[in-house]
Amino acid sequence: QVELVESGGGLVQAGGSLRLSCAASELTVSNYAMGWYRQGPGKERELVAGISSAGGSTYYKDSMKGRFTLSRDSAKNTVTLQMNSLQSEDTAVYYCAHSSGPVAGPRPDDYDYWGQGAQVTVSS
């Protein structure tokens, strides 16, 4: 049974950094497209960053470019999201997700497995 487990969330001051990790079981993350989503209070779930299966090309939402970095660790079978220069508007629950296709699609329906989520709270 596929399982995705996020870790690394928490409380940080504005301008600080956090590193989210997604550990996968029954799934080799380097073989698939993966995405990081987030859902803020009263907001819809949105794609933050994604990585394709072949070639490993990455995608970032415009407001994350230069601040967030997505990477994969084949040895640990994890997907990591390094978040720097965090702002209060980054406060959300962050989810790791496995794409049902070769690229990290923009819609939640493009993903078939989800982690339980990690809370990130940025205080101003």
Side-chain angles (χ1 to χ4, degrees):
Q1 183 175 350
V2 173
E3 187 175 20
L4 301 174
V5 179
E6 300 96 338
S7 61
L11 174 64
V12 64
Q13 290 187 335
S17 298
L18 281 175
R19 186 180 180 89
L20 298 179
S21 184
C22 172
S25 58
E26 302 300 323
L27 170 68
T28 302
V29 297
S30 59
N31 292 342
Y32 298 97
M34 303 289 293
W36 280 98
Y37 271 75
R38 72 182 185 186
Q39 188 165 18
K43 298 181 180 180
E44 293 187 351
R45 195 169 292 194
E46 62 176 352
L47 180 64
V48 170
I51 186 166
S52 65
S53 55
S57 59
T58 52
Y59 159 85
Y60 298 95
K61 184 177 173 63
D62 283 347
S63 57
M64 284 71 181
K65 290 179 180 177
R67 300 192 301 126
F68 290 12
T69 303
L70 187 155
S71 59
R72 278 191 296 220
D73 187 326
S74 298
K76 296 181 179 179
N77 202 32
T78 57
V79 180
T80 298
L81 185 67
Q82 176 67 41
M83 305 184 294
N84 299 327
S85 302
L86 285 164
Q87 304 161 13
S88 57
E89 50 265 38
D90 294 317
T91 294
V93 178
Y94 285 71
Y95 298 90
C96 172
H98 166 269
S99 173
S100 55
V103 297
R107 305 172 305 160
D109 286 347
D110 294 328
Y111 299 80
D112 50 11
Y113 296 106
W114 294 81
Q116 82 288 353
Q119 176 68 49
V120 171
T121 303
V122 184
S123 62
S124 56

